[in-house]
Structures are given as C-alpha cells and as structure tokens.
Amino acid sequence: MPPMQPIDRVVDLTDSSRNTIFNMTSDEARALVAAGDPTAIRGIDGDFALVATSGLHVRMARSIGRPLRYFIAKRKEGPALIASDRIDAIYGHLKEHGLADQFHPSYTRMVPAHHVTDVALVGCPDPNPTYTRYFTPRRNELPADPDAIGRAYIGALSDEVAKWLRLRATDGPIGVCFSGGVDSGSVFLVVYHAMLRLGMNPSRLKAFTLAVDGGGEDLDQSRRFLEAVGLGLFLEPIEVPSSAIDWRETVRVIEDYKPLDVQSGAMALALCRGIRARYPDWRYLVDGDGGDENLKDYPIEENPELTIRSVLNNRMLYQEGWGVDAIKHSLTYSGGLSRGYARTYAPAAASGCDGFSPYTLPNVMEVAEAIPFIELTDWSHERLYALKGEIVARGVKAVTGIDMPIFPKRRFQHGAPRPETFSALFPSQPSVYRRAYHAAYDS
C-alpha cells in the first residue's frame, strides 16, 4: 500500500463578502469551523459558507443560504482541495493550472447544509468526508396552539429580518421578490413592519412581481394582496417577454438539472435581470424561499417516494433530503433545499444582487421544527396543507398587527406566465434537462 501524502494546498475561491454573519467576523467564524466544535459553529448567527484548515484536516460548513462545493485535484507537488460556491469556478481554476483533464462535474462534492464536512488532508486514495451535524433542532416542543406557534415562528422571522436591516441592508433600496403568496407576502409585511419599528424610511421598499408576456396569476394576486393591506403603492411589476426565459441558460447558471428547480430558477433569473436593467445599481433582494420547506407545504401525492409519515417523521426532510447517512444521499448534490437553493442564490449572484432568504436561517427553522405537526394534523394531508396559511397569518397579525390575505398555493414558475406560455417554455421530460447540464462539459 503506497504511503499517504498530506495535502499541501487549499484553494478557497469563496467570496467572504457574501457571508451575512450577524455576531462575528468571517475570520472569527472560520476559526470556529477550523476547531470543529459543532456547538460553537451553531453559534455563528446568519448565512455563511466557510472553509478552514486544522493540521491535516480541511473543515467546511455552510448554512442553506450559501452553497459550497469542493474538488480534490492531483498535482506532482501533492493533492489540492479547491472550494467554491460554483462548479464552473472550480473548473476554471483547474484549466488555469493545467489540471482540467482530471475534472468531471460529478467529481465535485457539495457540502451539506447544517453539517461540518471534514476531509482528511491525505493523498491518494482520497478518503471519504465525514459529517458532524452542528444544527439539531428539537422537535415537537411547541404547544398545539396555532396562535402560539404563529407568534413564535413569525417572531423569529422578524428578529432575523431586523438584524439584516440593522447590520447588512443599512442603506439603499430593498426589493422583495413578490407573488402575493404566503411566503413572499409574510416576508414583505415583516420587512415593512421592521423598517417602521427601526425608524427606517419604508419608501426604500418595493415589491417586485415578475410578469411574463403581460403576466400570469401572480400579478393579479400581488395587486389584490397589497391593496387588501393598504400598501398597493409598493407594487412594481417587472415585465419581461417570454423570449427572456431560457431554461438552457438557467441550467448553466444554477448548475443543476432538476426540472422544478430549473423552472423556478429561470423565472428568478428573468426577475433579477429585469430589476438590474431597470435599476443598474440595485443591490438588496429578499424572498420567501424556505417557507414551504419549513411548514412541509408540498403536495406529497406528486412524489412517489414520499408518504405523509415520512414527511412528518423525518427531521428537516424538505430542507436536507434523506440525510447524509442515507443510501439515497448524493455526494455531488446533497438533498432537499440544501441542494435546491441554487435556484435562488445563483440567479441573484449572477445578476449582481445581494439575496436574503430569512426563512432559511436556523433560528427560524428551529421554531418550525418545534411545531407538533402530527398532533395538529392527525396524519391528514388536507390539514397539513391548510396549516401553513393559518400559522403564518396568525403570526403576522400578532407581530405586525396586519391581517394578511391568504391565497391558494401556486409555484413561482406557474404564476409568472400564463399556463399556455409556461408549457411552451419548458420541456416536460426530465432527461432533457440532464442532457443539457452534461453538454456544458462534454467538449
């Protein structure tokens, strides 16, 4: 057996300015990751993707809101670990250093959210990473009282939004990616209320609604929502032609091929570019991504792998997938929103925007996991699907004093265009998206 070689180089291509850490610097947070203590890492408050070294170990940790990947390359001087938020950045580094022949996109590894990923710095053969969970929310701790749950859940959301406003988005305009649904609607109202509470001028705020070829149901819903709460002046439609929706380019931008994520990402990319074209200097965008996952509001019937028991019995199933110890866990892509968040992150980043999804923060998810879903639903699909609107509306009323209207659930990609436009924009076969993804590297 050949002797193991220590890795003598770590290339960190992540941009620390994209971290949104409220209670320490990125360097201080990186030192905690290097030490590897999960309790200390849980104390990092905010969004982050961090790479650190300790002796013969590279340790990496991330929140859902900041994707992180890595690749181990072989060099005559010894192996090197390259980390980035993007696959193509890793590939570009390898090409620059004459190592592109070693690359395949499936050889990159995604750091799963809420875990410390530890790679031993030894040479060929590369050891498997080990994972230590740093975020373990306790389940079923709240009373089965929708009023109490709503106050706690939206209260946590409001706390995170206030920190972001005080410490990150301190000046300049703020846009909410808005459809009038439960998630974007609650985020808009909480941001508006927090700005007033902090003495900030709410004229900085806009509700951006994507309208493809004149708009689908979201545009009408957005108007009705804001008019119902007396805030119609904040609505600003971003109108784009259907020719601006390019699913192939979206595959390249989000670096994934799952149809629902590509479709959502295509709409997000069109929205971000429309905002950028209208406002060249716009920076801050807020959205409601993560709200569905937190309150388990997906149609179970559409996924043959799921039952209501698997959804309600598994911690953070929609946020993390089946888990790092499960046979279904993919190293190339982790699972759940930990994987799928690229649909939100990458379009904003590619458009030069600073995105923020407060529902994805651990302090908010911790409250969501404490909800006694089984007691509240008694295993009923219908009760589960109705629960989210009830909890969020009660929470928004308790925190902001505003009666929030609730509309039926609809996916972003279905509400921005008309149904016939959507059908013409996207292939129906999943294999088409996968082939387009691999074609980017076939040459």
Side-chain angles (χ1 to χ4, degrees):
M1 180 176 180
M4 292 188 296
Q5 286 183 302
I7 294 177
D8 62 3
R9 190 177 183 199
V10 174
V11 181
D12 183 0
L13 301 176
T14 62
D15 181 357
S16 62
S17 70
R18 290 200 168 274
N19 293 330
T20 303
I21 300 175
F22 299 127
N23 61 340
M24 63 185 76
T25 67
S26 284
D27 285 342
E28 290 168 338
R30 195 173 292 109
L32 296 180
V33 173
D37 179 357
T39 301
I41 294 169
R42 173 63 183 98
I44 303 172
D45 187 13
D47 264 334
F48 56 88
L50 298 165
V51 181
T53 60
S54 176
L56 296 178
H57 293 264
V58 179
R59 295 191 175 112
M60 295 165 280
R62 58 170 281 235
S63 59
I64 279 180
R66 294 294 179 266
L68 181 59
R69 289 183 165 278
Y70 65 98
F71 179 91
I72 297 178
K74 304 299 188 294
R75 305 171 304 137
K76 63 181 180 181
E77 303 90 348
L81 185 146
I82 303 101
S84 175
D85 61 339
R86 296 192 56 82
I87 297 173
D88 58 12
I90 294 173
Y91 183 47
H93 178 85
L94 295 172
K95 286 195 295 184
E96 182 181 345
H97 291 82
L99 301 170
D101 288 346
Q102 299 183 24
F103 177 84
H104 189 275
S106 66
Y107 296 165
T108 64
R109 297 291 183 252
M110 178 175 271
V111 174
H114 307 149
H115 294 74
V116 185
T117 297
D118 191 325
V119 179
L121 299 188
V122 294
C124 190
D126 303 321
N128 279 327
T130 61
Y131 304 110
T132 303
R133 177 177 285 281
Y134 72 79
F135 175 47
T136 311
R138 299 174 68 173
R139 309 188 70 215
N140 305 316
E141 292 221 314
L142 287 171
D145 175 358
D147 284 317
I149 293 169
R151 281 194 301 272
Y153 185 54
I154 300 303
L157 182 77
S158 180
D159 289 344
E160 299 304 303
V161 165
K163 284 185 283 189
W164 180 75
L165 289 170
R166 287 189 294 104
L167 301 173
R168 183 76 166 188
T170 55
D171 56 17
I174 296 168
V176 176
C177 303
F178 189 76
S179 70
V182 172
D183 298 323
S184 67
S186 58
V187 165
F188 176 84
L189 294 177
V190 167
V191 171
Y192 172 76
H193 178 263
M195 293 181 77
L196 292 177
R197 181 163 54 87
L198 294 171
M200 296 179 174
N201 188 345
S203 66
R204 295 169 55 196
L205 187 61
K206 287 185 182 292
F208 290 124
T209 300
L210 180 66
V212 179
D213 283 352
E217 294 179 90
D218 279 0
L219 183 56
D220 177 64
Q221 178 174 281
S222 295
R223 287 196 179 100
R224 291 163 60 198
F225 182 105
L226 292 172
E227 287 171 359
V229 296
L231 299 173
L233 75 161
F234 289 96
L235 178 63
E236 183 158 340
I238 299 295
E239 298 179 354
V240 303
S242 56
S243 59
I245 310 297
D246 186 340
W247 69 265
R248 290 180 179 84
E249 184 183 14
T250 305
V251 168
R252 178 190 63 78
V253 170
I254 73 170
E255 301 185 310
D256 205 344
Y257 48 81
K258 293 184 72 175
L260 291 176
D261 290 330
V262 174
Q263 294 162 9
S264 178
M267 298 302 169
L269 189 60
L271 177 62
C272 291
R273 287 179 171 174
I275 295 168
R276 175 64 62 232
R278 187 174 299 179
Y279 300 105
D281 298 323
W282 200 281
R283 179 179 178 188
Y284 296 113
L285 291 179
V286 197
D287 61 75
D289 206 2
D292 283 334
E293 287 79 4
N294 287 354
L295 295 187
K296 310 182 191 304
D297 189 31
Y298 282 111
I300 298 168
E301 300 82 0
E302 293 182 5
N303 191 329
E305 294 185 342
L306 297 181
T307 67
I308 193 166
R309 292 189 176 274
S310 62
V311 169
L312 298 187
N313 278 325
N314 285 275
R315 176 189 285 120
M316 293 186 288
L317 177 64
Y318 285 136
Q319 291 96 333
E320 298 181 356
W322 293 105
V324 297
D325 297 321
I327 195 169
K328 292 182 180 180
H329 175 67
S330 164
L331 290 174
T332 304
Y333 291 101
S334 58
L337 189 59
S338 173
R339 168 184 183 163
Y341 190 75
R343 71 195 179 207
T344 299
Y345 173 85
S351 304
C353 295
D354 189 333
F356 179 55
S357 302
Y359 275 125
T360 68
L361 293 173
N363 291 341
V364 180
M365 284 188 286
E366 192 163 48
V367 177
E369 282 298 296
I371 296 171
F373 286 99
I374 296 171
E375 186 176 356
L376 287 168
T377 65
D378 194 26
W379 307 107
S380 165
H381 292 212
E382 291 72 22
R383 291 184 191 175
L384 177 62
Y385 302 152
L387 192 62
K388 175 180 162 184
E390 180 182 6
I391 286 174
V392 173
R394 294 189 188 204
V396 168
K397 176 67 173 178
V399 171
T400 71
I402 299 172
D403 290 306
M404 186 180 90
I406 301 295
F407 297 101
K409 177 180 172 62
R410 183 170 53 249
R411 295 185 189 275
F412 179 28
Q413 60 263 41
H414 295 154
R418 296 185 180 91
E420 61 272 18
T421 304
F422 174 85
S423 298
L425 286 173
F426 297 102
S428 59
Q429 294 298 318
S431 59
V432 177
Y433 300 93
R434 186 185 291 264
R435 286 197 297 271
Y437 168 77
H438 287 293
Y441 294 99
D442 283 348
S443 60

